[in-house]
Amino acid sequence: IVIPASERDVSLTIQYANTHSIPFLATTGTHGTWQGLSQLQGGMAIWTRNLTKIEFAADGQSATLGGGLRGDDVIPALWARGKQTTTGSCRCVSLLGPALGGGHGWLQGQYGLGADQILSARVVLANGTAVKASNTENSDLFWALRGAGHNFGVVTEVEYKLYDAVRPEWAYQSYTFTQDRLEEVYRVHNEVMRNQSVFVVYWSLWRWAPEVDPVN
């Protein structure tokens, strides 16, 4: 495992891996569920956890955020300035892991997906070259990063949109349904969400709970 402290470290690590024919994989929050993540054998993990820059723009409308940040790093820093943005659905996951794959989050109804918040990105490509991707620089790469970003390089930092935190208080309610109610639950959900407020969020979790339903 290599833990880089800078973009240059990432670049040198990838160049070294290429020179010695070592497969490599970048990780951040280590919550990935893709089966391929567990298939790297005899390779090198590039853990970006130390890339934790948080630098706010003067106008407060964006921030430069390091590729190793987790939601639990970003959310308190934003709230301290009265700001918020779309992050993953759990504070323990990375910011960019979800965002580079689209980025569902609690605030997507208000601001869009995590990928929609990326204004630009610094990326170390597979050959070790570091580039900037935005609407005006390497625009094809920038388009690809926002949804399929895990496949095109190691993102070391992004410029990310911020918003004023207008509703600091939340309320929530949890419901549990058995498997035989599944279609009915989602039918009602699909009807309700057509006209729901952008401040309302639904989140569903499927799990086996024998204390609720020992059969299904």
Side-chain angles (χ1 to χ4, degrees):
I1 298 176
V2 176
I3 306 177
S6 66
E7 180 179 272
R8 184 172 184 273
D9 288 348
V10 175
S11 179
L12 292 174
T13 299
I14 291 177
Q15 291 175 36
Y16 178 89
N18 287 333
T19 299
H20 296 277
S21 301
I22 302 172
F24 58 89
L25 176 72
T27 64
T28 301
T30 65
H31 281 76
T33 56
W34 176 51
Q35 189 176 15
L37 294 175
S38 64
Q39 295 178 354
L40 179 67
Q41 301 295 323
M44 179 186 298
I46 303 174
W47 192 22
T48 60
R49 186 67 185 100
N50 283 346
L51 303 181
T52 55
K53 176 193 288 188
I54 300 179
E55 187 176 285
F56 293 92
D59 62 5
Q61 301 305 302
S62 65
T64 300
L65 304 174
L69 290 167
R70 298 181 182 178
D72 204 32
D73 303 313
V74 176
I75 294 170
L78 298 190
W79 274 90
R81 290 174 171 255
K83 297 291 182 177
Q84 62 185 17
T85 191
T86 304
T87 58
S89 58
C90 175
R91 290 166 64 117
C92 59
V93 303
S94 67
L95 174 73
L96 291 186
L100 294 176
H104 288 290
W106 300 113
L107 300 179
Q108 69 184 53
Q110 298 175 60
Y111 310 127
L113 298 174
D116 299 323
Q117 315 313 318
I118 301 175
L119 297 170
S120 67
R122 293 287 304 176
V123 189
V124 180
L125 304 177
N127 64 2
T129 302
V131 300
K132 181 178 180 179
S134 69
N135 279 324
T136 57
E137 298 179 64
N138 299 299
S139 57
D140 285 350
L141 174 61
F142 184 59
W143 176 85
L145 285 175
R146 293 171 296 162
H150 310 93
N151 300 311
F152 294 96
V154 180
V155 178
T156 57
E157 65 180 42
V158 293
E159 183 185 3
Y160 211 76
K161 295 178 185 177
L162 304 182
Y163 307 89
D164 293 333
V166 295
R167 293 204 174 190
E169 296 180 354
W170 286 71
Y172 74 93
Q173 179 64 53
S174 298
Y175 299 95
T176 300
F177 299 94
T178 52
Q179 183 181 4
D180 60 302
R181 303 291 300 279
L182 184 64
E183 292 185 2
E184 181 183 359
V185 167
Y186 281 104
R187 180 186 60 77
V188 173
H189 169 264
N190 288 334
E191 287 293 328
V192 172
M193 69 182 296
R194 291 180 181 179
N195 298 302
Q196 74 182 34
S197 165
V198 297
F199 298 105
V200 176
V201 179
Y202 297 97
W203 188 65
S204 61
L205 173 66
W206 298 13
R207 69 187 184 98
W208 181 50
E211 68 276 13
V212 176
D213 187 344
V215 177
N216 299 309

